[in-house]
Amino acid sequence: MAAYTLFERPDGGVVEVDHRRPPDAEFGVLLFNGLGLPHEQWSWVRGFLPGNAACVGYNRPGHGLSSPLRGATLEDQFRIVDELRERYLDDLPLVLVGHSIGGYLAAAYAASRGSAASRESGALSHVVMVDPTIISDLQASLGLLPDWWTRQRLLMECLWAATGLNILRPMTPAGTLYSEEIKESLTAYHARPRVWATAYREYMTARTYPPVGRLGLPLHVVTALKGTRSAEKHRRSQETMLELSDSSWHHVLDDADHMGVVAEQTHAKTLAELVIPGRVA
């Protein structure tokens, strides 16, 4: 639906990128999407970022206009981020922000790359994990009802997309919170069966990911409690991420659900405040 940049990779594939870099950019922001979601999910957050922020959102392989990459490993995902940093954000201090499985990817990338002081790209500033997927919880759920439900839901979305039925209703009510242009783009995105097949493969691969290593930089963890099966259990699980960094803060949003924490403008503004380097809220 929208015209975004197609970044050409060395292997000949492309990555769909939505980027901006003002001439007076003082820091960069790289956004990691949730499972089965496009970079448009960050529309409100991007809108609340200050004018001196360079910003890159992208779709992982197989999503949107990005070329498929079957059997993509965690290191394959990290290599794409390396390429995007070099192309669009080069020497800027960089903030990594991720939602759901994207929260895990953002932190895991920081743990993998944060100590590489010799990189040509700018140093990492901090990480913002937005209601992140906890890999240990995901692995503990294997074979249980939550795991079964997630897999069935992704497969059903793929089937509905193949038949065209999901055009008639939004994938999630949170999608209705965006502008008309973004809503139309989300609908077109979720109408592609490949998106859901890729999301299913990503989910299955994520079950094998290692826990995030220690971070040598500040960390914000944003937890959404609304709609969870057990708010207290979810909160305790999210709190374990605070142990990743010696400088960490926990922001608990009782009135936000897993999707609305990014899609609702009030919460998006809160997230944008946490992205700005030097801010502690």
Side-chain angles (χ1 to χ4, degrees), residues 45-72:
V45 175
R46 290 167 59 96
F48 285 119
L49 291 175
N52 63 349
C55 193
V56 170
Y58 75 104
N59 287 337
R60 293 190 293 275
H63 290 283
L65 302 179
S66 295
S67 301
L69 185 62
R70 289 188 176 274

Side-chain angles (χ1 to χ4, degrees), residues 68-176:
L69 185 62
R70 289 188 176 274
T73 65
L74 194 57
E75 184 57 35
D76 289 331
Q77 300 286 3
F78 291 169
R79 193 171 298 113
I80 292 173
V81 178
D82 287 339
E83 294 167 5
L84 294 175
R85 287 180 68 184
E86 182 177 357
R87 172 63 179 85
Y88 297 107
L89 300 168
D90 51 57
D91 59 344
L92 294 174
L94 182 62
V95 184
L96 305 174
V97 186
H99 172 245
S100 194
I101 191 62
Y104 166 83
L105 292 173
Y109 177 83
S112 173
R113 302 294 200 262
S115 62
S118 61
R119 289 188 53 81
E120 292 182 3
S121 297
L124 298 180
S125 170
H126 62 282
V127 177
V128 181
M129 302 176 78
V130 184
D131 216 36
T133 297
I134 312 300
I135 292 299
S136 59
D137 290 351
L138 182 60
Q139 293 170 343
S141 74
L142 298 185
L144 301 179
L145 184 59
D147 173 54
W148 179 88
W149 172 246
T150 299
R151 289 185 285 114
Q152 291 301 309
R153 180 171 175 271
L154 292 172
L155 289 174
M156 286 304 298
E157 290 286 356
C158 186
L159 176 62
W160 287 328
T163 59
L165 293 177
N166 68 348
I167 292 292
L168 304 177
R169 57 85 170 115
M171 187 277 293
T172 170
T176 63

Side-chain angles (χ1 to χ4, degrees), residues 1-273:
M1 291 295 297
Y4 298 108
T5 299
L6 293 181
F7 168 72
E8 295 187 9
R9 303 193 61 215
D11 64 3
V14 298
V15 177
E16 181 183 351
V17 181
D18 186 10
H19 65 93
R20 78 177 190 210
R21 178 160 181 168
D24 59 345
E26 296 182 8
F27 67 98
V29 182
L30 209 152
L31 302 162
F32 295 75
N33 307 337
L35 187 70
L37 291 166
H39 56 68
E40 289 97 323
Q41 78 166 118
W42 298 104
S43 173
W44 292 131
V45 175
R46 290 167 59 96
F48 285 119
L49 291 175
N52 63 349
C55 193
V56 170
Y58 75 104
N59 287 337
R60 293 190 293 275
H63 290 283
L65 302 179
S66 295
S67 301
L69 185 62
R70 289 188 176 274
T73 65
L74 194 57
E75 184 57 35
D76 289 331
Q77 300 286 3
F78 291 169
R79 193 171 298 113
I80 292 173
V81 178
D82 287 339
E83 294 167 5
L84 294 175
R85 287 180 68 184
E86 182 177 357
R87 172 63 179 85
Y88 297 107
L89 300 168
D90 51 57
D91 59 344
L92 294 174
L94 182 62
V95 184
L96 305 174
V97 186
H99 172 245
S100 194
I101 191 62
Y104 166 83
L105 292 173
Y109 177 83
S112 173
R113 302 294 200 262
S115 62
S118 61
R119 289 188 53 81
E120 292 182 3
S121 297
L124 298 180
S125 170
H126 62 282
V127 177
V128 181
M129 302 176 78
V130 184
D131 216 36
T133 297
I134 312 300
I135 292 299
S136 59
D137 290 351
L138 182 60
Q139 293 170 343
S141 74
L142 298 185
L144 301 179
L145 184 59
D147 173 54
W148 179 88
W149 172 246
T150 299
R151 289 185 285 114
Q152 291 301 309
R153 180 171 175 271
L154 292 172
L155 289 174
M156 286 304 298
E157 290 286 356
C158 186
L159 176 62
W160 287 328
T163 59
L165 293 177
N166 68 348
I167 292 292
L168 304 177
R169 57 85 170 115
M171 187 277 293
T172 170
T176 63
L177 299 173
Y178 290 102
S179 67
E180 287 301 320
E181 179 184 5
I182 298 299
K183 281 192 289 186
E184 290 178 2
S185 188
L186 287 171
T187 298
Y189 174 87
H190 286 131
R192 307 182 72 178
R194 190 184 79 176
V195 164
W196 297 109
T198 301
Y200 184 87
R201 287 193 294 269
E202 278 193 340
Y203 174 76
M204 298 300 288
T205 302
R207 305 192 315 173
T208 68
Y209 284 162
V212 178
R214 288 280 298 174
L215 303 177
L217 60 158
L219 168 67
H220 290 280
V221 178
V222 181
T223 299
L225 295 183
K226 184 178 178 181
T228 57
R229 293 185 180 89
S230 171
E232 186 56 35
K233 182 179 180 181
H234 184 62
R235 178 174 182 154
R236 289 199 306 268
S237 175
Q238 296 268 299
E239 283 178 346
T240 62
M241 294 294 95
L242 301 175
E243 301 171 3
L244 297 176
S245 172
D246 293 331
S247 300
S248 58
W249 296 267
H250 196 192
H251 312 272
V252 180
L253 303 178
D254 297 295
D255 59 342
D257 62 25
H258 184 65
M259 298 298 297
V261 69
V262 175
E264 294 182 32
Q265 291 191 60
T266 300
H267 302 313
K269 186 174 183 180
T270 298
L271 298 181
E273 288 291 324

